[in-house]
């Protein structure tokens, strides 16, 4: 027993210097989505800042497919040494375990170690300007007076636009008609054209249309107002206290990654997000920079998983 204890102490002594030098080589952040989207853009902005801070290359590798499950599966099988990370989002971590429960090839409870929430991405409830809607309460009143007649467009079944609207229906008692499209672009285009009435969409996708008068903002879906649309109130403050249906992005590592590495990355990301230039670039993308501890991020993942599991089951939502 004494020899085993001594051996363990020696291994620990050898490991500490190596961990203290992290990172000693290139770090890869896998984005489980195609280039150009919100998750990818935010990752590349952060990677550039971490490259400078760490003095080691931080490269972004896109591994899209199956609603993020291809990239997530790849990362879950990598060595837990901190050199392969993943920028997940609320879809990969909190929705897929329920929506694709029979298709996920890894255990979502053990495959990843939460590092830190990078940014919150609230949606904005927008309406076609021709509709008689000035506030979110007008939408609820209209939908209740004409159940199933008021239509909302989404990027597809089970996506962030759909689940935000489903949560809104559950919380407000409104009954609306879901009109799914193959992507957020077509969903917004048909809203502007007047083929549908409203939509929950990203601020990045809608802010230019709002400023040009092509869309009318009714409310923001997060707990706080967006710096990009400071005049638009939240549903939380005006109609539905506690309502929150924001998307988010956050860093994760393969399950079993040493705590000392996880804590270092979390602290360094928080410091990077405090940089005024990086913060403004993220805000311009419709994101709210956050940062925080691994425990706080894991709590968010768990809370959202329960929240979205309930609405998926209540609304009998299935993946396309």
């Amino acid at each position: 027993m004494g020899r085993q204890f001594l051996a363990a102490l020696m291994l620990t002594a050898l490991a500490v210097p190596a961990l203290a030098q992290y990172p000693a080589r290139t770090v890869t952040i896998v984005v489980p989505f195609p280039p150009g989207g919100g998750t990818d853009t935010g990752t590349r902005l952060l990677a550039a800042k971490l490259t400078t801070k760490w003095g080691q290359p931080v490269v972004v590798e896109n591994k899209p497919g199956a609603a993020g499950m291809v990239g997530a599966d790849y990362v879950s099988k990598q060595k837990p040494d901190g050199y392969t990370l993943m920028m997940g989002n609320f879809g990969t971590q909190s929705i897929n375990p329920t929506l694709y429960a029979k298709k996920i090839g890894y255990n979502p409870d053990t495959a990843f170690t939460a590092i830190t929430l990078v940014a919150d991405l609230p949606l904005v409830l927008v309406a076609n300007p021709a509709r008689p809607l000035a506030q979110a309460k007008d939408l609820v009143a209209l939908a209740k007076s004409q159940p199933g007649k008021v239509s909302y467009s989404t990027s597809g079944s089970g996506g962030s636009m759909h689940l935000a609207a489903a949560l809104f229906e559950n919380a407000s008692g409104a009954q609306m008609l879901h009109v799914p499209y193959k992507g957020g672009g077509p969903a917004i285009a048909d809203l502007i054209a007047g083929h549908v009435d409203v939509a929950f969409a990203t601020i990045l996708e809608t802010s230019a249309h709002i400023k040009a008068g092509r869309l009318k903002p009714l409310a923001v879906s997060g707990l706080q107002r967006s710096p990009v649309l400071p005049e638009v109130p939240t549903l939380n403050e005006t109609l539905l206290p506690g309502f929150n249906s924001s998307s988010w992005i956050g860093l994760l590592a393969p399950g079993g990654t040493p705590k000392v590495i996880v804590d270092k990355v979390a602290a360094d990301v928080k410091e990077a997000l405090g940089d005024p230039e990086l913060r403004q670039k993220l805000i311009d993308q419709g994101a709210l920079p956050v940062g925080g501890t691994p425990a706080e991020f894991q709590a968010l993942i768990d809370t959202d998983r329960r929240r979205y599991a309930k609405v998926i089951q209540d609304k009998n939502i299935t993946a396309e």
Side-chain angles (χ1 to χ4, degrees), residues 41-252:
T41 301
T43 304
R44 291 180 187 279
L45 290 171
L46 177 62
K49 186 62 64 175
L50 291 177
T51 293
T52 300
K53 178 172 181 55
W54 287 341
Q56 297 289 346
V58 180
V59 301
V60 177
E61 185 175 348
N62 298 88
K63 288 187 175 294
M69 289 186 288
V70 169
D73 183 66
Y74 170 82
V75 173
S76 73
K77 293 175 170 59
Q78 300 307 298
K79 187 176 180 180
D81 57 5
Y83 288 97
T84 301
L85 308 176
M86 180 177 80
M87 187 67 82
N89 65 15
F90 88 126
T92 62
Q93 306 310 121
S94 297
I95 294 175
N96 288 357
T98 298
L99 196 61
Y100 299 96
K102 297 180 180 179
K103 297 181 179 180
I104 287 183
Y106 50 87
N107 184 340
D109 295 321
T110 59
F112 303 101
T113 298
I115 298 178
T116 186
L117 176 63
V118 173
D120 190 50
L121 294 96
L123 304 179
V124 58
L125 173 59
V126 286
N128 182 282
R131 304 301 189 266
L133 304 171
Q135 304 175 59
K137 67 178 182 180
D138 300 329
L139 172 61
V140 174
L142 182 62
K144 286 184 175 180
S145 69
Q146 302 176 30
K149 297 290 183 66
V150 176
S151 59
Y152 66 94
S153 60
T154 74
S155 57
S157 181
S160 60
M161 298 173 74
H162 185 198
L163 291 175
L167 281 174
F168 177 74
E169 287 182 299
N170 275 6
S172 67
Q175 295 180 39
M176 301 187 292
L177 174 65
H178 178 210
V179 183
Y181 290 80
K182 292 184 178 180
I188 296 302
D190 263 18
L191 175 59
I192 293 172
H195 300 309
V196 289
D197 301 308
V198 297
F200 279 89
T202 67
I203 291 172
L204 180 61
E205 287 178 307
T206 56
S207 60
H209 297 304
I210 290 171
K211 291 172 183 176
R214 292 185 290 268
L215 290 174
K216 183 190 302 181
L218 304 182
V220 170
S221 72
L223 292 174
Q224 59 180 304
R225 296 193 183 197
S226 167
V228 178
L229 301 169
E231 72 285 356
V232 181
T234 65
L235 286 167
N236 169 57
E237 67 184 278
T238 59
L239 183 68
L240 302 170
F243 186 90
N244 180 24
S245 185
S246 286
S247 181
W248 45 256
I249 60 174
L251 271 182
L252 301 109

